[in-house]
Amino acid sequence: MSPTVLKKLKLKTRMILVLGLVSAFQTGLIGGFAWYYLSDSLDEEIGQRALMVAKTIAAMPEIITGVQRRDVDSLQALSQKLAATNEALFIVIGDHNAIRLAHPNPDRLGHSMADDDGDTGAIALEQGQGYVNKALGSLGLSMRGKAPIIDLAGEEIIGIVSVGYSLDQVRSTIARYNLVLFTVMALMLLGSVAAAIVIAGRFKRAIFGLEPEQIARLFEERDATLQSVREGIIAINREGIITTFNRTAIETLGLMPETRLSGQPITNVLPESGLPKVLGSGEPEFDQEVWLKGRHMIVNRLPVKQGSDIIGVVASFRPRDELDQVSRQLTRIQQYADTLRSQTHEYSNKLHTIAGLIQIGATDEALALIGSEVSDHQALIHLLLEAVPDPVIAGCLLGKYNRAREMGLKLIIDPGSRMMTVPEALPRDQLVSVLGNLIDNALEATRQQHSSGGEVHLSMSDLGHDLIFEVEDQGPGISLDDQERIFEKGFTSKPGINHGIGLHLVRSFVDRWGGSITLERLPQSGTRFTLYLPKRPTQSMSVVEETDR
C-alpha cells in the first residue's frame, strides 16, 4: 500500500493495518524460527540417539566376539533383534574394512558399507571416534550414528556399527508439532489484530477523535494564539516543569530573547511565581498582584485538570503599569464626562429659569440669580486656585462639586483646606481616583437620607509629614459589622450590581503607598472617612514608580 493511499485512510484504520502487519510479521518470524529450531533440534536429538545406540551395541561382548569370528548368522540375528528393540530403521555391522557382516537386506552382506552413501566409516575405523551423519541410502533418508568396535582388550579396532533412524519419522513428528504451532500462530495473529483494534480505539478516544492532520493544525493554531496574546503565559506540569510559554512571557520577565524555558523547573526560573501552591491546592487565583523579576504584575493562575486529577497550572500575567495606564485614561474620560454632564444639566436648568424670569419682567431676580451663580463658582474657583494649585486635583473637585449640585446636594469644601505640597511621586490619576471614590460614596450615602439639600463636607491638609483628607456624609452611617468588611472586594450595601469595587481600590492604593484610612460613625448620622498619605512613599511603591518611569 502506497504512502499516499495510507494517508487517505483514517487514523484508526491506519493503526489497525500497521499494527496488524507488524504482528503478522512478528508472528511469522517467531513461527519460522520455532519451526526451524524444532526441526534442527529433532534432527540433532535423533542423531545423538543413533550414536548412543551405536556405541552401546559396539561395546556388547556378543557383537565383539561375533565380529572377531565373522559369525554372520549370529550378527544378523542379533542386529535385527536390536533394531526392533531400539525402534531403529536399521543396524549395520561391518568388519575393520567396512565390509558388511549384518544388514537388514541379506543381499548386501559381504559388500562395502560405502555402497549406500559413499561413507567408508574412516572416522570410526581409523580415528576410533563415533560420529553422526545424514545420508540417503538403500533404505531411504536417515540419520546415522556410527561407532567403532574395539576388541575386548581395548587395543584394536576390529569393526564398525552403523545405527540409522528414518527421517520420515522426524518429519511426521514435525508435522504434528506444526499443526499445533500454526494453530498458536493463527491465534496470536487474531489476538494481535484484536489488540490493535482496541488500542487504536482507545488512542483515538484519547485524542478526542482527531486525525493527525487536525492535531497538527490545532497545534499550529495554538502556537500562533499563544504568540499573539499580549499577556505573558507560562504553563507547568504536575512535576513543576515548564511545558509552555510565549514570547511575551520572555519579554515581560526581561529574559534574553533566545531563552528556552521548556523543561526547566518553575522554581528555578520564577521562585516567586506561586504556581506550585496552586498545583497543590487546586484553587484558581484571579487578578493577584505580585512581584516577578522586580516588576509589579497582575497574575491569574488556573489549575489544569484531567477528570479530578490536577495535571498542571497555567498562569497569565502582565505589568501593572499597563493596567494603570488604561485606568488613568478611563479615569480622566470619566471625570470629563461627569463634569460636562453635570454642568450641562445644571446650566440648562439655570438658563431656563433666567429666561422665564426675563419673560415675566423679573429682571432684578434674574440678575440676582446670575450673580449668585457667578459668585458661588467664583468663590469655589478662587478657593481651589489658592489652596489646591495642582490642576488635576482641582479639576476633580470642581467636577464633584457640579455632580453634587446635579444630585440636589452640596459639596462643601472647608475654606481652611490647603493642599499645596503634593509630592511629585504621588500618581495624580490614582490620587483623584481615591478621592473621587470617597466623595462619590459620600454623595450616594447622603442621597439615601436626603433627596435634596443634603451636604457632604471635605477638608484637606498638607501640614506635617502626611496629606490628610476628611470626607463627611449625612448618610445612614455604617454598622460596626459592616465597618470590618467595607473595604473587601465585592462587598456593598447598595442594591444592584457593579458595586463593591471603589473602596477596595482605595484601600489597595493606600496600602501600597504606605498610608492608612479610618472611618467613624458620626453622633447624629453619617460617616467620616479620614485618609492619611505620607509625603514619602514606602519602598515598594517607590519601586513601582521607578518602573513606571
Side-chain angles (χ1 to χ4, degrees):
M1 185 176 294
S2 66
T4 304
V5 175
L6 191 62
K7 286 183 179 180
K8 293 182 179 179
L9 299 176
K10 291 190 175 182
L11 177 62
K12 186 175 181 179
T13 306
R14 277 186 270 175
M15 290 186 66
I16 292 174
L17 285 176
V18 172
L19 292 176
L21 291 174
V22 171
S23 299
F25 175 75
Q26 290 179 338
T27 302
L29 188 64
I30 294 173
F33 174 77
W35 179 86
Y36 174 80
Y37 181 77
L38 176 63
S39 178
D40 189 65
S41 297
L42 286 175
D43 283 353
E44 184 178 357
E45 182 181 349
I46 293 297
Q48 293 301 317
R49 180 180 178 184
L51 180 60
M52 184 181 300
V53 172
K55 288 182 177 181
T56 302
I57 292 173
M60 294 174 63
E62 302 95 312
I63 297 297
I64 296 173
T65 302
V67 172
Q68 287 177 334
R69 295 177 180 177
R70 301 186 69 83
D71 188 351
V72 175
D73 293 335
S74 63
L75 290 175
Q76 184 75 356
L78 186 57
S79 66
Q80 292 178 357
K81 180 180 178 181
L82 290 173
T85 301
N86 291 280
E87 299 180 349
L89 178 64
F90 63 83
I91 294 178
V92 177
I93 302 174
D95 61 12
H96 65 282
N97 293 318
I99 302 299
R100 297 187 186 96
L101 300 176
H103 192 277
N105 186 355
D107 295 338
R108 292 184 174 271
L109 295 175
H111 296 282
S112 174
M113 296 173 64
D115 293 347
D116 283 337
D117 55 10
D119 183 11
T120 60
I123 297 177
L125 292 173
E126 296 177 6
Q127 301 178 16
Q129 297 178 1
Y131 65 97
V132 176
N133 73 334
K134 182 191 296 186
L136 178 63
S138 59
L139 298 179
L141 186 64
S142 61
M143 185 66 71
R144 305 176 181 188
K146 298 184 179 183
I149 302 173
I150 302 175
D151 61 10
L152 295 175
E155 297 177 353
E156 182 182 359
I157 298 174
I158 61 175
I160 185 173
V161 175
S162 177
V163 178
Y165 284 89
S166 175
L167 288 181
D168 292 337
Q169 296 175 337
V170 177
R171 300 295 174 260
S172 63
T173 302
I174 292 176
R176 291 197 303 273
Y177 281 116
N178 282 344
L179 179 62
V180 178
L181 179 62
F182 292 143
T183 302
V184 173
M185 289 173 61
L187 292 175
M188 288 177 60
L189 182 58
L190 290 175
S192 298
V193 173
I197 294 174
V198 173
I199 292 172
R202 291 188 176 182
F203 182 79
K204 197 69 183 292
R205 286 193 298 272
I207 59 176
F208 305 101
L210 298 174
E211 296 297 318
E213 295 77 12
Q214 293 174 311
I215 296 174
R217 186 165 57 253
L218 288 175
F219 180 82
E220 292 175 354
E221 291 175 358
R222 163 193 170 274
D223 189 61
T225 302
L226 276 177
Q227 300 306 329
S228 65
V229 173
R230 300 318 302 161
E231 287 191 354
I233 295 177
I234 290 181
I236 63 172
N237 59 19
R238 68 180 71 198
E239 286 78 29
I241 304 300
I242 297 175
T243 58
T244 303
F245 67 96
N246 63 354
R247 191 178 306 279
T248 307
I250 298 292
E251 296 172 354
T252 303
L253 296 175
L255 303 176
M256 298 298 292
E258 64 275 8
T259 302
R260 303 294 298 177
L261 299 181
S262 295
Q264 298 191 47
I266 188 65
T267 51
N268 292 351
V269 179
L270 289 174
E272 66 276 28
S273 69
L275 295 184
K277 175 186 174 184
V278 177
L279 190 64
S281 67
E283 296 295 328
E285 297 179 351
F286 299 102
D287 299 329
Q288 299 293 311
E289 297 187 19
V290 300
W291 290 89
L292 297 177
K293 296 291 185 179
R295 298 191 70 181
H296 198 191
M297 305 281 187
I298 303 297
V299 179
N300 295 295
R301 308 181 186 97
L302 187 68
V304 180
K305 296 184 178 180
Q306 189 174 49
S308 58
D309 296 332
I310 300 174
I311 61 174
V313 180
V314 177
S316 64
F317 52 90
R318 68 185 308 157
R320 173 61 187 260
D321 52 357
E322 293 184 9
L323 297 178
D324 288 343
Q325 183 179 2
V326 174
S327 175
R328 226 173 356 251
Q329 294 173 350
L330 293 176
T331 298
R332 290 172 181 170
I333 293 172
Q334 182 66 40
Q335 289 174 354
Y336 296 152
D338 289 345
T339 301
L340 291 175
R341 184 180 66 252
S342 300
Q343 290 181 346
T344 300
H345 183 72
E346 180 182 358
Y347 282 108
S348 177
N349 291 334
K350 294 292 178 63
L351 287 175
H352 290 159
T353 302
I354 293 172
L357 291 173
I358 293 175
Q359 288 176 358
I360 64 175
T363 55
D364 292 338
E365 287 79 0
L367 291 173
L369 181 59
I370 294 172
S372 174
E373 181 64 25
V374 172
S375 175
D376 289 344
H377 272 82
Q378 287 297 327
L380 176 62
I381 292 173
H382 179 74
L383 172 63
L384 294 178
L385 289 175
E386 290 292 331
V388 188
D390 190 293
V392 177
I393 300 175
C396 172
L397 296 179
L398 181 59
K400 296 305 177 184
Y401 175 83
N402 293 325
R403 172 65 175 161
R405 297 190 63 174
E406 182 188 65
M407 297 170 65
L409 306 175
K410 292 183 179 180
L411 174 61
I412 300 176
I413 301 177
D414 187 348
S417 294
R418 178 183 175 87
M419 191 58 56
M420 303 289 291
T421 58
V422 180
E424 289 294 330
L426 182 61
R428 297 302 191 270
D429 59 311
Q430 296 187 36
L431 175 59
V432 298
S433 175
V434 168
L435 190 57
N437 275 316
L438 290 177
I439 296 174
D440 286 340
N441 283 341
L443 293 173
E444 291 290 341
T446 302
R447 188 165 62 173
Q448 292 180 27
Q449 293 292 99
H450 306 273
S451 58
S452 64
E455 297 178 353
V456 172
H457 293 263
L458 169 67
S459 66
M460 302 173 289
S461 173
D462 60 356
L463 298 177
H465 299 290
D466 296 327
L467 304 180
I468 304 174
F469 299 86
E470 285 189 358
V471 180
E472 295 182 10
D473 63 56
Q474 294 180 344
I478 301 175
S479 66
L480 292 177
D481 292 337
D482 289 347
Q483 289 181 20
E484 298 294 328
R485 305 176 55 198
I486 194 69
F487 295 104
E488 294 180 6
K489 185 176 182 180
F491 177 79
T492 181
S493 59
K494 302 174 185 177
I497 60 175
N498 298 326
H499 297 297
I501 302 298
L503 289 179
H504 170 72
L505 295 177
V506 171
R507 184 60 172 268
S508 299
F509 171 76
V510 170
D511 289 343
R512 289 200 311 274
W513 190 259
S516 62
I517 184 170
T518 63
L519 63 92
E520 58 181 309
R521 188 164 183 168
L522 299 178
Q524 299 299 324
S525 65
T527 306
R528 177 190 294 123
F529 283 85
T530 305
L531 174 66
Y532 301 90
L533 295 176
K535 294 181 179 179
R536 291 188 177 182
T538 60
Q539 182 179 0
S540 61
M541 193 68 184
S542 299
V543 174
V544 173
E545 293 304 316
E546 184 64 30
T547 304
D548 290 342
R549 287 195 289 271

